[in-house]
Amino acid sequence: RARRGGVLQGPTRMFFSGGDGDGGELGGAIDKATDPMLLGVDWGANLEICDMILSDPAGPSIAVKCLRRKIKTDNPKVINLALQLTDATIKNGNHAMHAAIASKEFMGDMVSLTDGKRGWEIREEALKLIQSWGLEFAAKRDTLPLFHETYTNLRVKGVTFPEAGSSVPVFTPPAATDPATFSQPVAQDDGKSAEQDDFEKLKNDLVVVEEKIKLCREMLPQSPGIETDDTLAEVIGFLEGCKPRMVDLIEAGMQGMLDEGLLGMALAINDDLLKTLEAEENGTPLPPMSPSIGGGGGGGGGG
């Protein structure tokens, strides 16, 4: 069965049927993935755990119970491995897993790691994840409020967050990603290259959005409307789906996670996106597009 990060080999098994009081098979897998004897993060094991969580409705609650126990230990190695696993479940999980992590108890445990008592490295990693989740889920504050609230509350208290570095948010969801990209994480000394790759991907994603906006504006004057024009409806649906992601991206840029050029490009494209959708909804004339910043030709609107 397919999932983000790869395909689980073999038939899906029934997990959590055991009753050892320690999370059953899932708990055992989490124990192995956070073993202090590991040389580093076992990305393959982490992705299998993500699949195990998705395989049973009880998976999120069991996983969070096990992960809380790990991040409350005194062993920095175990805590760091648990944090990396938690982030993997965020990136490869569903709403139920996100909601289980975005609980008062778990986010409280995350905040407790920021006091520095478990070491500076753990403090920085916890802050980095709190920041990342706060920005990524900013558009879902109505259903998952604690991600953004936790981040905002720490900022209000004057907590200094680490440099964003390669934590640039991914604009497009990594659906059906090649598992090899997860099993070979970028080494620390290649961080600059990873950051540049992220920026380049974000720029390419923005160009795609810009081209869709241009296509929409070309179609609108001749189209009878989305009720009967399936092609236009598909383009409008794509652009509507981009709105919350653009909000996330711009908020990240306001926090210094994007360079000035990329933030300016995002702001201009977001402005065109909103104006185009408004014109389609209200049947009003299309205003001119913003001057292109991303290198593509800026197109004027039809009337």
Side-chain angles (χ1 to χ4, degrees), residues 50-288:
C50 293
D51 195 90
M52 293 169 74
I53 293 170
L54 293 171
S55 298
D56 191 285
S61 60
I62 294 173
V64 164
K65 180 180 178 181
C66 295
L67 289 168
R68 286 191 68 200
R69 188 169 66 247
K70 296 297 181 182
I71 66 176
K72 290 164 84 172
T73 66
D74 293 324
N75 188 321
K77 181 78 172 286
V78 173
I79 296 172
N80 185 57
L81 290 171
L83 290 175
Q84 300 302 322
L85 175 55
T86 302
D87 194 42
T89 66
I90 287 279
K91 290 181 168 65
N92 295 277
N94 54 16
H95 178 79
M97 187 62 198
H98 296 160
I101 294 174
S103 65
K104 183 176 180 181
E105 294 77 17
F106 192 91
M107 294 309 293
D109 291 340
M110 290 294 295
V111 172
S112 71
L113 295 178
T114 67
D115 61 12
K117 294 181 179 178
R118 266 73 167 260
W120 186 258
E121 182 180 351
I122 294 299
R123 177 184 186 276
E124 293 292 284
E125 186 62 31
L127 286 173
K128 185 181 80 171
L129 293 180
I130 290 171
Q131 180 184 53
S132 173
W133 300 340
L135 294 171
E136 287 174 13
F137 290 92
K140 296 185 178 181
R141 279 172 285 198
D142 53 337
T143 55
L144 298 168
L146 279 179
F147 283 129
H148 195 263
E149 284 181 14
T150 302
Y151 171 52
T152 302
N153 289 341
L154 288 175
R155 289 181 58 212
V156 169
K157 292 177 182 178
V159 173
T160 301
F161 284 84
E163 288 292 329
S166 59
S167 297
V168 177
V170 177
F171 181 63
T172 50
T177 305
D178 183 346
T181 63
F182 286 88
S183 60
Q184 298 176 0
V186 178
Q188 288 185 346
D189 58 352
D190 288 338
K192 197 70 176 179
S193 175
E195 181 178 352
Q196 291 170 347
D197 288 346
D198 283 336
F199 282 138
E200 191 61 33
K201 183 184 183 305
L202 284 172
K203 185 175 180 180
N204 291 338
D205 288 336
L206 286 171
V207 169
V208 171
V209 178
E210 186 179 35
E211 291 302 319
K212 286 283 188 180
I213 293 172
K214 291 177 184 176
L215 175 62
C216 181
R217 294 166 71 91
E218 291 172 3
M219 296 174 66
L220 278 175
Q222 288 81 33
S223 174
I226 58 175
E227 293 80 7
T228 56
D229 188 337
D230 290 341
T231 304
L232 177 63
E234 183 178 342
V235 175
I236 292 294
F238 174 89
L239 295 179
E240 287 285 357
C242 290
K243 285 169 62 178
R245 297 178 201 164
M246 291 298 296
V247 172
D248 291 347
L249 188 63
I250 290 170
E251 284 200 17
M254 294 298 187
Q255 300 301 322
M257 297 175 69
L258 306 178
D259 62 41
E260 186 175 342
L262 198 56
L263 175 58
M265 181 180 179
L267 288 168
I269 291 175
N270 187 60
D271 186 53
D272 288 334
L273 171 68
L274 297 178
K275 288 179 179 177
T276 301
L277 289 174
E278 182 181 3
E280 184 279 325
E281 183 177 0
N282 299 329
T284 53
L286 288 164

